[in-house]
Amino acid sequence: MDPVLVSLDAARCPGVLRITLNRPEKLNAFTTALHKGLADAMTRAETDGAVRCLLITGAGRGFCAGQDLSERDMSAAAIDLGEGLDTRYNPLVRRMHALPKPIVCAVNGVAAGAGANFALACDIVLAARSAAFIQAFVKIGLVPDCGGTYFLPRLAGTQRAMALAMTGERLSAEDAERWGLIWKCVDDADLAAESEKLATQLASGPTASLGAMKKAIYDSANNDLAAQLDLERDLQRQIGKGKDYREGVAAFIEKRKPRFTGS
Ligand code: LHQ
């Protein structure tokens, strides 16, 4: 069984590359093969102009239970967890952040360990009401990875980040929404339709402008106001040269819906 399903269904969700983690019997825990599937999907997202938004979800009752703990060689000589981060997790998170296209995540069930932080690395996160986020690392004597110590304090504040990491307590999707970790918690039965609707809307949007928003908002974490104002100017200058800006203004003047092409 393919550990990652990748599809672009032009009839159902035009412009949306759907990426489904597909090891439902193990709650879609990361293996080397699953990472390879994700890396290939990212390459397609980066190079295929027909892809204008990503939609990531999980098959079955879980979203992702983090690293598959049965795949690790536990002999003392073999343990180098940094290697897995260097070669698989960290490049994945960097590529997701750098991708100049929006990434929607539909968290369909439990998201634990690196699975929780993989979800938080997406640009807009929806979660089913029955889903939960667990910083499970403390339970096996590790530290949050996959960007967790970067995203959590920025999204939820230092106190909440610290307590989530140190206790490994389960955070419900409702609380995750209340705390600002995710965009929306929706009824389980509505998750697929809501996330497809959002991804399809973004895929028909001004892609270059969405990509620039992503860069500006993420870079703001490391910029002072002066640098951020300069960045906004540079991005606006660049985006203003695109066809979508002209189309947006023309549509406004002509009192019609814009037809953005992503250029
Ligand atoms: C799993 C897993 C799993 C294998 C469920 N592995 N089988 C770590 C090390 C190295 C380098 C880089 O980074 C990392 C980062 C990390 O991600 S560390 C954190 C790893 N993840 C965890 O510690 C979470 C472990 N899983 C759980 O605590 C529970 O499964 C949760 C709370 C996610 C869900 O609980 P339940 O709903 O009760 O499901 P379950 O425990 O019965 O799991 C269902 C099946 O999935 C079961 O298999 P089985 O054959 O017995 O039916 C589990 O063994 C398997 N599974 N997580 N990470």
Side-chain angles (χ1 to χ4, degrees):
M1 195 164 64
D2 222 331
V4 180
L5 305 177
V6 180
S7 65
L8 188 68
D9 183 341
R12 185 167 161 182
C13 299
V16 176
L17 189 71
R18 181 192 302 270
I19 300 171
T20 306
L21 310 180
N22 189 39
R23 300 185 66 230
E25 71 292 349
K26 298 293 176 195
L27 305 180
N28 305 314
F30 286 108
T31 56
T32 303
L34 191 144
H35 270 291
K36 168 82 171 68
L38 282 177
D40 290 347
M42 288 307 298
T43 300
R44 177 148 179 212
E46 288 159 357
T47 55
D48 185 345
V51 174
R52 292 171 64 189
C53 180
L54 271 55
L55 173 56
I56 301 180
T57 194
R61 73 176 176 89
F63 172 70
C64 177
Q67 171 63 40
D68 187 313
L69 297 173
S70 65
E71 199 191 40
R72 301 279 99 181
D73 180 346
M74 294 301 281
S75 63
I79 294 179
D80 175 7
L81 301 185
E83 189 267 341
L85 295 178
D86 260 346
T87 56
R88 293 184 284 278
Y89 289 92
N90 293 354
L92 173 64
V93 174
R94 286 197 193 99
R95 290 175 85 179
M96 290 165 71
H97 251 220
L99 185 75
K101 303 174 183 181
I103 306 179
V104 174
C105 186
V107 180
N108 53 297
V110 69
N117 297 334
F118 170 59
L120 299 183
C122 296
D123 303 317
I124 303 184
V125 185
L126 301 177
R129 206 165 297 283
S130 69
F133 296 81
I134 307 174
Q135 294 295 320
F137 308 88
V138 67
K139 297 180 183 172
I140 54 169
L142 290 182
V143 64
D145 59 20
C146 205
T149 59
Y150 181 90
F151 301 121
L152 276 176
R154 283 171 171 77
L155 294 168
T158 306
Q159 272 291 304
R160 284 168 165 172
M162 197 71 81
L164 287 174
M166 288 188 168
T167 64
E169 209 171 276
R170 174 186 186 282
L171 185 72
S172 69
E174 280 175 2
D175 283 344
E177 178 191 305
R178 217 162 39 80
W179 288 14
L181 247 72
I182 65 168
W183 168 234
K184 264 183 196 167
C185 161
V186 301
D187 288 340
D188 288 30
D190 297 333
L191 181 70
E194 288 265 343
S195 55
E196 283 181 6
K197 188 173 150 206
L198 175 62
T200 305
Q201 178 193 326
L202 295 175
S204 69
T207 310
S209 136
L210 302 182
M213 287 174 202
K214 189 166 159 169
K215 177 167 177 53
I217 289 172
Y218 288 145
D219 281 11
S220 77
N222 306 313
N223 280 343
D224 61 17
L225 178 61
Q228 194 64 18
L229 289 171
D230 285 352
L231 175 61
E232 288 177 359
R233 176 206 55 213
D234 293 345
L235 291 170
Q236 204 72 296
R237 179 173 281 151
Q238 183 191 321
I239 297 304
K241 292 184 174 135
K243 282 189 191 147
D244 280 344
Y245 168 56
R246 270 174 279 156
E247 165 60 9
V249 174
F252 175 78
I253 305 274
E254 293 160 23
K255 298 190 186 305
R256 60 170 173 82
K257 270 189 150 183
R259 287 179 298 270
F260 293 122
T261 57
S263 52

